[in-house]
Amino acid sequence: MSDDETPIAWLALKRGVPVFASDGEEVGHVSTVIADEQKDIFSGVAFRDHLLSHERFAPAAVIDTLTTRGVHLSIDKSAAIDLGNPPG
């Protein structure tokens, strides 16, 4: 995370923001925020990888920070690419 970024709540997360691996490399863009707004439970984000046409699911457990710049994962690029499909 750089100095010009501000942490945000999952409710402020928008579709299309970049998803970054732990090394700072962009691994895709958010396609869906997966949460239960009524219960205020954030489950994670679905994102589309630049190289593949299908979605990946990054559960909340592998998300380090949500910022004005994007979603920062706590895993590297290879682990992010190996993430499974979104639930449902």
Side-chain angles (χ1 to χ4, degrees):
M1 184 169 80
S2 66
D3 292 339
D4 62 340
E5 293 181 74
T6 304
I8 61 171
W10 67 267
L11 289 166
L13 190 60
K14 303 283 187 216
R15 182 177 185 210
V17 299
V19 177
F20 299 97
S22 60
D23 62 0
E25 190 165 347
E26 188 175 308
V27 293
H29 289 85
V30 172
S31 53
T32 309
V33 177
I34 300 173
D36 184 333
E37 287 188 40
Q38 291 182 332
K39 294 180 181 178
D40 193 26
I41 298 172
F42 173 67
S43 298
V45 297
F47 67 96
R48 290 207 180 270
D49 186 287
H50 294 294
L51 302 174
L52 303 172
S53 62
H54 64 281
E55 287 184 312
R56 303 283 187 208
F57 175 63
V62 301
I63 296 174
D64 185 40
T65 313
L66 304 174
T67 71
T68 52
R69 185 169 173 243
V71 175
H72 299 269
L73 304 178
S74 61
I75 57 176
D76 65 17
K77 180 181 178 178
S78 64
I81 290 171
D82 287 340
L83 290 169
N85 295 325

